[in-house]
Amino acid sequence: MSQRRKKNSSDGETKPRTSFVNKFFRSSKLRPTKAESRKKSNDLEAADFQPSDDTQRTENILDTAKPLTSEMELGSRMEKNEQFLQKLGRKAVNKCLDLNNCGLTTADVREVVALLPLLPDLEKLDISWNDLIGGSLHSVTQQMHLVSKLKILRLGSCRLTTDDVRALGEALEAIPELEELNLSWNSKVGGNLPLILQKFQEGSKIQTLELVDCNLTSEDGAFVGQLLPMMQNLEVLDLSINRNIGGSLNSIAQGLKSTSNLKVLKLHSCGLLQKSVRILDAAFRYLCELRKLDLSCNKELGGGFEDSSAQLAMLEHLEVLDLHQCSLTVDDVMSLTQVIPLLSSLQELDLSANKKMGGSSENLLSRLRFLPALKSLLINNCALQSETFTALAEASAHLPALEVFDLSWNKCIGGNLKLLLETLKFSESLQVLRLSSCSLVTEDVAVLASLIQTGHLAKLQKLILSYNDSICDTGWAIFCQNMWFLKELTELDISLRPSTSRDCGQWFRHLLCAVTTLPKITEIGMKRWILPATQEEELERFHQDHRCSIHFDLGEFQEADFPRLN
């Protein structure tokens, strides 16, 4: 194919052809006059691609420093670049080069560099999740001045080396329009953060800074605190999974006072302590625009909310609050009972994996009724007791916007699901209901089936009933006979616990019948349910008789995938 293209070019053929890369480079200032006269196009679609061989790939490695001296040279370079992009099988649009998770190699990086001179208007460059390019970033950063309009730079999980980090720091000065920088999952950023960000000037346009799991040191954290006053346009700050920055939280919190436009603050698993709540609380009064706060998986945080949560109530625009796995104490729950109901804009609340709140959260759960905008409520694995579950059931009747409800791993629900289902009758928006490992019994699924039959839960898309091994075959039969009312259902999980296995009963036939009437279902979890030979035959006939695309997940030893028949 390559030889044919060269021959056609040398023969002087002039048949019009709009190539993939020609479309991609519409905005380039380096186009020849003839190209400028062509019709502008923003949307592009890639054709079916074939990988290049090693020789062709080597030819694509160009000397990017060499100026474009002729239209012929430009056309040759664009054709080689086209082959490179086609090899990756990606779509491209003007001003955006998205090569994340493409398996790029060092040689591929050189080909990426070859693209940059043709993209002076590039605004987004994403080469994240290419962990073979570490050590070669300098070849990209040396050409950053060619894409000075860049606004988004994503380099997550690229195994950047210390040399890469240093080169990046020197290059950032050449892209003053930068608004988003993502260096997450690069451990060499830790201890070297000043090398990258030291040239940020006051009035920086940075709006998003993501440094997840970068092995940041306490000194890095202190540096972030000193840097924040220079980033007054900052809207998103994610320092999650950097367990050593808890000791420099004072500096970070002091810097946060200067980021009044901040909308998202993520400190998931950052080694925060009890005193950290008090330190952050002092900064909350300056974060009037905050929409999302994630303090989850800081297990030493427990006890910190007892006397230090007053300013949290001032976050009147807060939409997401994540406190899962924070070892909340009884006193924490009492304090939060006074605060959370005041967050009238709250849409997502995650209190999961705080087992000590099980017997002390009755008042808190009861007052959730004052959060009419709540869309997602996660209280799984909280060791709820009968009184707290009853309070939650009554409050849920006042949550008309609820879309996601997770109560998994709360054993008290078994035999008492009817309390919750009475209130769910008023929920017209519920899309996800998770009741995994809730000790449900046959009576519970019978009540659930009755509710479904009457037309409630019509918008349900995911229903998770796994690890409820006490439900007998009769219960599953009643449930499966009423499944067909759930027309929006995409996923159902009724798997057994890892330590058990059972033969499927006659209810499996009802399940297959129901599935034929569910147009959107794609996943049915049935791990550790054993299909006898007769039911395996039924499953095969189901595949043959119905046009469907459904994955029956039967676990390690049995698996059934059925491709859609067109």
Side-chain angles (χ1 to χ4, degrees):
M1 180 180 295
S2 178
Q3 291 177 350
R4 185 179 300 114
R5 285 175 179 165
K6 291 179 180 179
K7 183 178 186 299
N8 291 341
S9 176
S10 62
D11 289 342
E13 294 184 8
T14 59
K15 183 178 180 180
R17 183 172 71 95
T18 302
S19 73
F20 175 85
V21 172
N22 285 341
K23 293 180 181 179
F24 181 63
F25 296 141
R26 286 295 186 197
S27 64
S28 174
K29 295 181 179 179
L30 297 178
R31 294 192 305 267
T33 305
K34 291 183 180 180
E36 291 176 354
S37 66
R38 295 175 183 171
K39 182 180 179 180
K40 293 183 178 179
S41 172
N42 289 328
D43 298 327
L44 6 139
E45 295 182 358
D48 293 334
F49 303 135
Q50 294 181 348
S52 309
D53 57 26
D54 291 340
T55 302
Q56 185 178 33
R57 183 174 170 185
T58 302
E59 292 174 350
N60 287 337
I61 302 173
L62 304 176
D63 181 5
T64 60
K66 184 178 180 180
L68 300 175
T69 57
S70 68
E71 181 177 343
M72 181 177 296
E73 182 180 351
L74 174 62
S76 175
R77 177 175 297 184
M78 290 175 65
E79 184 168 359
K80 291 178 180 180
N81 290 335
E82 177 183 3
Q83 295 167 3
F84 169 63
L85 289 175
Q86 287 180 341
K87 177 182 65 176
L88 299 177
R90 286 301 180 97
K91 292 182 179 180
V93 295
N94 271 349
K95 301 182 181 181
C96 172
L97 183 58
D98 187 350
L99 300 175
N100 85 85
N101 198 24
C102 280
L104 298 181
T105 64
T106 301
D108 292 329
V109 171
R110 292 193 290 254
E111 298 191 65
V112 171
V113 172
L115 295 172
L116 297 184
L118 302 175
L119 298 172
D121 295 323
L122 190 68
E123 294 183 357
K124 175 182 175 180
L125 176 60
D126 187 351
I127 53 177
S128 299
W129 300 100
N130 290 288
D131 56 6
L132 297 179
I133 69 174
S136 61
L137 188 66
H138 65 280
S139 61
V140 177
T141 58
Q142 287 173 355
Q143 305 299 323
M144 281 297 186
H145 62 283
L146 300 175
V147 288
S148 60
K149 296 180 182 180
L150 200 66
K151 294 182 179 181
I152 299 174
L153 179 59
R154 296 175 181 168
L155 300 169
S157 192
C158 287
R159 292 191 180 180
L160 300 183
T161 66
T162 302
D163 289 339
D164 290 329
V165 169
R166 183 178 293 107
L168 178 61
E170 295 172 353
L172 289 182
E173 195 172 16
I175 44 177
E177 302 297 318
L178 194 65
E179 296 178 357
E180 176 181 332
L181 179 61
N182 188 337
L183 301 175
S184 299
W185 297 289
N186 287 292
S187 61
K188 293 299 183 181
V189 171
N192 295 302
L193 193 61
L195 295 178
I196 304 174
L197 305 182
Q198 62 185 351
K199 294 188 179 180
F200 275 10
Q201 301 296 322
E202 187 171 355
S204 166
K205 295 185 179 181
I206 285 287
Q207 297 178 13
T208 299
L209 180 60
E210 296 179 293
L211 300 170
V212 179
D213 197 10
C214 283
N215 196 28
L216 298 184
T217 64
S218 181
E219 291 75 15
D220 290 327
F223 175 76
V224 170
Q226 297 168 10
L227 190 66
L228 287 174
M230 300 182 187
M231 297 189 291
Q232 296 182 1
N233 294 309
L234 193 65
E235 296 183 0
V236 177
L237 178 61
D238 193 347
L239 302 175
S240 298
I241 319 181
N242 288 288
R243 297 173 180 82
N244 297 318
I245 67 172
S248 54
L249 190 63
N250 273 307
S251 177
I252 295 174
Q254 188 65 32
L256 287 172
K257 295 178 181 180
S258 301
T259 58
S260 58
N261 292 314
L262 196 67
K263 291 180 172 61
V264 177
L265 177 59
K266 295 184 179 182
L267 298 172
H268 163 89
S269 190
C270 283
L272 302 187
L273 307 174
Q274 277 189 9
K275 63 180 182 180
S276 301
V277 180
R278 174 179 50 79
I279 296 171
L280 287 172
D281 198 55
F284 287 153
R285 62 182 296 185
Y286 299 92
L287 304 179
C288 299
E289 298 299 319
L290 199 64
R291 301 303 200 265
K292 181 171 184 176
L293 177 61
D294 184 353
L295 302 178
S296 61
C297 294
N298 288 288
K299 297 182 180 180
E300 302 299 321
L301 206 63
F305 290 96
E306 296 179 12
D307 303 311
S308 305
S309 60
Q311 297 302 323
L312 183 61
M314 304 298 292
L315 302 177
E316 59 181 13
H317 298 297
L318 195 67
E319 298 175 355
V320 180
L321 178 60
D322 191 344
L323 298 175
H324 83 266
Q325 202 170 345
C326 284
S327 300
L328 298 181
T329 66
V330 173
D331 290 332
D332 285 330
V333 173
M334 291 179 60
S335 181
L336 291 171
T337 298
Q338 307 301 318
V339 173
I340 290 179
L342 300 177
L343 303 174
S344 58
S345 298
L346 203 62
Q347 296 181 17
E348 299 180 24
L349 177 61
D350 190 347
L351 299 173
S352 300
N354 288 292
K355 294 186 177 181
K356 291 184 179 179
M357 66 176 286
S360 61
S361 57
E362 182 176 352
N363 290 334
L364 172 59
L365 298 180
S366 178
R367 294 186 182 185
L368 294 181
R369 67 186 66 211
F370 299 117
L371 301 176
L374 200 63
K375 294 182 179 181
S376 176
L377 180 57
L378 310 183
I379 314 185
N380 51 292
N381 198 20
C382 284
L384 295 184
Q385 298 180 8
S386 178
E387 295 79 7
T388 51
F389 176 60
T390 301
L392 175 62
E394 294 174 352
S396 65
H398 302 275
L399 303 176
L402 197 62
E403 297 178 357
V404 180
F405 204 1
D406 191 346
L407 291 168
S408 298
W409 302 92
N410 289 294
K411 307 299 182 182
C412 70
I413 298 177
N416 295 305
L417 191 61
K418 58 182 179 292
L419 297 176
L420 181 63
L421 297 181
E422 285 298 315
T423 62
L424 289 177
K425 289 181 180 180
F426 300 96
S427 176
E428 299 180 355
S429 304
L430 195 65
Q431 298 176 16
V432 179
L433 179 60
R434 299 180 182 274
L435 297 169
S436 178
S437 193
C438 286
S439 296
L440 299 184
V441 296
T442 299
E443 178 187 356
D444 293 321
V445 290
V447 174
L448 179 60
S450 175
L451 184 66
I452 294 173
Q453 186 180 31
T454 54
H456 300 288
L457 304 180
K459 294 186 178 180
L460 203 63
Q461 297 177 12
K462 293 185 179 182
L463 179 57
I464 310 301
L465 301 174
S466 55
Y467 298 2
N468 288 290
D469 296 0
S470 298
I471 301 171
C472 69
D473 286 351
T474 301
W476 287 123
I478 296 173
F479 171 76
C480 292
Q481 287 172 345
N482 290 279
M483 263 184 62
W484 66 273
F485 289 97
L486 301 175
K487 298 301 184 182
E488 299 296 315
L489 197 67
T490 62
E491 180 180 344
L492 171 70
D493 194 344
I494 57 174
S495 298
L496 298 173
R497 292 178 178 277
S499 59
T500 61
S501 62
R502 278 166 57 184
D503 288 339
C504 281
Q506 293 302 312
W507 55 265
F508 183 70
R509 181 172 299 174
H510 297 304
L511 175 64
L512 291 182
C513 290
V515 166
T516 63
T517 68
L518 302 180
K520 297 184 178 181
I521 195 161
T522 59
E523 184 78 18
I524 298 180
M526 295 183 59
K527 291 181 179 178
R528 289 165 292 280
W529 285 103
I530 300 174
L531 296 182
T534 55
Q535 291 180 340
E536 286 187 352
E537 293 174 359
E538 288 183 37
L539 198 55
E540 180 61 27
R541 285 196 298 271
F542 171 83
H543 163 52
Q544 295 173 354
D545 296 341
H546 302 282
R547 294 182 177 183
C548 57
S549 178
I550 303 173
H551 175 217
F552 284 81
D553 186 356
L554 300 170
E556 182 179 355
F557 301 106
Q558 290 180 303
E559 204 67 27
D561 285 291
F562 300 123
R564 185 174 297 279
L565 303 176
N566 296 318

